[in-house]
Amino acid sequence: MTMSIFNAAAEARDFIFTRLPADATRPRIALILGSGLGAFADRLTSPVMIPFKDIPHFPQATVEGHSGRLVIGDIDGIPVAVMQGRVHGYEGYSPQQVTFPVRVLGALGSSTIIVTNAAGGINKGYRQGQLVVLSDHINLTGSNPLTGPNDERLGLRFFDMSEAYSKRLRGYAHAAAQRVGLDVPEGVYLGVSGPNFETPAEIRAFRTMGADLVGMSTVQEVIVARHMRIEVLGISCVTNMAAGVLDQPLNHEEVIETGEWVKDDFSRLLAAILPMIHTGQVSRAAAED
């Protein structure tokens, strides 16, 4: 990317606006859907579907279970932007490329992002198919997307991460889970670079560090979102128990299969959360006027 990230994101944003109806409302809520979880985008009404490959400067998803398109539409009258899939560092992308879509979502006007992922369960109290609200994360990817010069138009050089995952939004998630009858605990997500699954010794070490979940995405996206002062809600789906928790090998097919059979619970939870976030945004905007 030869131009600045700020200008590249603006160019991608302007292209996306050309694909939307002239009277379209800017989506103030965005979602990033992880492996096997992309079916939620099919619930949008009046969807505009834009493949990642058509958007200027956008990286291309290459992993099974990631459709690789941006879908903009409505859920129960709430305008949302949904990334149906994401890219990862292990595909050969830099941290700046991995997080560029978050920059674009912010440029589109999103002040809230719901990041979701498929994760390995480190916490032995979890079960396969469990949905978990993220309370915090540990970055062991070995890199940070903010390394290098800082553009003050995007965010501060040094910024607070003590509430990477919004307490307010986590409260909405728990209220929504109760409403739809789901048991959704909180947990700490540990991000690694991948693409291999972890060893049993690594999982024991991660458990000692306080991690409940492990995965190959999310943390860099959240760092960039918070850099832009975007509020974040994180939800993991435990698609498999991490290495050594069960006496069986791990594979990506299991991740996709679990995402498929948990998609109804996942969709019900998201559909119940969105009105709460939307109402909260409207109330906060009114208070600021």
Side-chain angles (χ1 to χ4, degrees):
M1 189 182 299
T2 56
M3 66 174 66
S4 72
I5 293 175
F6 180 89
N7 289 334
E11 188 173 306
R13 173 203 63 203
D14 292 345
F15 170 81
I16 292 166
F17 282 151
T18 67
R19 301 287 294 269
L20 300 179
D23 60 348
T25 302
R26 288 195 177 201
R28 295 188 60 80
I29 304 174
L31 299 92
I32 301 176
L33 303 180
S35 294
L37 303 175
F40 180 77
D42 298 334
R43 297 187 55 155
L44 271 64
T45 56
S46 304
V48 175
M49 302 181 183
I50 310 172
F52 289 173
K53 64 181 179 62
D54 292 349
I55 304 173
H57 313 294
F58 236 68
Q60 309 304 305
T62 65
V63 179
E64 181 184 357
H66 292 260
S67 298
R69 60 185 182 180
L70 177 67
V71 186
I72 299 177
D74 290 355
I75 291 281
D76 297 327
I78 301 169
V80 296
V82 180
M83 276 182 57
Q84 206 170 21
R86 56 157 57 92
V87 300
H88 310 77
Y90 62 72
E91 295 172 75
Y93 293 113
S94 70
Q96 291 75 25
Q97 289 174 306
V98 167
T99 56
F100 181 73
V102 175
R103 299 293 191 192
V104 176
L105 293 174
L108 285 171
S110 297
S111 58
T112 301
I113 292 181
I114 303 175
V115 293
T116 74
N117 58 59
I122 295 175
N123 188 321
K124 294 182 179 180
Y126 293 164
R127 55 175 173 74
Q128 191 173 12
Q130 179 96 57
L131 298 176
V132 181
V133 172
L134 301 186
S135 60
D136 209 340
H137 73 227
I138 300 169
N139 181 11
L140 286 188
T141 64
S143 60
N144 189 304
L146 303 183
T147 299
N150 185 63
D151 190 332
E152 293 286 338
R153 294 173 294 179
L154 295 170
L156 299 173
R157 168 85 286 182
F158 303 105
F159 60 99
D160 181 52
M161 285 288 285
S162 59
E163 195 177 322
Y165 300 87
S166 165
K167 292 180 182 177
R168 184 177 73 94
L169 298 184
R170 281 149 49 195
Y172 290 161
H174 292 305
Q178 186 174 21
R179 179 175 298 178
V180 299
L182 293 175
D183 172 33
V184 180
E186 288 197 0
V188 174
Y189 178 92
L190 186 145
V192 294
S193 62
N196 60 282
F197 292 110
E198 303 71 37
T199 69
E202 288 170 335
I203 294 303
R204 290 194 299 272
F206 297 163
R207 185 179 296 118
T208 301
M209 294 173 68
D212 298 294
L213 304 139
V214 63
M216 306 171 191
S217 67
T218 301
V219 295
Q220 294 184 352
E221 295 164 345
V222 173
I223 290 169
V224 163
R226 296 305 298 141
H227 182 238
M228 298 178 72
R229 296 188 293 276
I230 296 171
E231 200 171 12
V232 177
L233 173 66
I235 302 173
S236 286
C237 174
V238 181
T239 48
N240 56 274
M241 299 308 293
V245 177
L246 301 177
D247 186 19
Q248 61 188 48
L250 306 180
N251 61 78
H252 189 64
E253 289 72 21
E254 183 180 31
V255 172
I256 302 302
E257 290 170 4
T258 304
E260 178 64 24
W261 62 257
V262 80
K263 68 180 182 181
D264 290 341
D265 286 347
F266 178 72
S267 292
R268 287 192 298 122
L269 179 62
L270 288 182
I273 292 170
L274 287 173
M276 297 181 185
I277 296 175
H278 178 66
T279 301
Q281 286 181 336
V282 171
S283 298
R284 294 175 86 182
E288 292 169 0
D289 288 342

